[in-house]
Amino acid sequence: MSCRRGALIVLEGVDRAGKTTQCQELVNALQQSGRAAEMMRFPDRTTKIGQLISSYLEKKSNLEDHTVHLLFSANRWEMVPLMKQKLEQGIDLVVDRYAFSGVAFTSAKPGFSLEWCMNPDIGLPKPDLVMFLQLNPNMAANRGEFGIERYETSAFQRTVHQRFEELMQDSSVNWKVIDAARTIEEVHKDIKLLSEDIISLAQNQPVGELWR
Ligand code: NYM
């Protein structure tokens, strides 16, 4: 008999919404309750593709806008075999950003439709749950270190936020909106409860395909 699969849980939001902190908190909490949980993040800057992306984000190199979009997508696809393997082994994956960031950030640039941006990510493992950490982009800007990397301007982040709002209209994805303007502990409590519910539901279902 095969073991019950792990859940694919994604945290999304504008920059500085607290995603990384909350991913770590969730992984710790799940591990403490005896689950095998691991964190992943996109972009994964450790691979060759990830290094190209990282250099672009740090403004050390320039890449054409379509090209960098496809690199971000390729950086997800290159991790798919590992993700599927871990899920099958019963490991819960807590992921800091996914295809939704990919679409929201590129489509905030002039001339990019949501549809074009979604295409390369169609068929990725579908998250069982996507929690959107809702934070006013102006509040995010006050949370320090804002403005160091590419895309970190209030005007751009406001457009990114609008694109996320459009993506959240899609009922084929299990979106939950979390008020991220509260304390770390309060936000964590909500995230943990929602995650525990989805872990029990997901274990009896096959992993879906995103946007298909
Ligand atoms: N980003 C992230 C994209 O533009 N496209 C993507 O597909 C993904 C996953 O990269 N500003 C952007 C969002 C962030 C930056 O930042 C990655 P961080 O701090 O590594 O999450």
Side-chain angles (χ1 to χ4, degrees), residues 26-37:
L26 178 59
V27 168
N28 289 343
L30 293 175
Q31 286 175 347
Q32 273 165 25
S33 67
R35 303 239 6 137

Side-chain angles (χ1 to χ4, degrees), residues 12 15-16 19-20 41-43 45 53 56-57 68-69 72-73 75-76 96-106 109 121 149-152 156-157:
E12 282 284 7
D15 292 355
R16 313 282 172 234
K19 295 179 296 299
T20 305
R41 65 178 312 146
F42 292 110
R45 303 187 192 214
I53 294 171
Y56 169 81
L57 288 171
V68 74
H69 181 74
F72 273 112
S73 177
N75 184 234
R76 285 182 279 279
D96 187 351
R97 298 187 190 279
Y98 201 49
F100 315 99
S101 273
V103 175
F105 278 79
T106 302
K109 297 177 177 179
D121 284 316
E149 286 208 327
R150 211 180 279 264
Y151 303 148
E152 295 191 345
F156 193 76
Q157 297 283 328

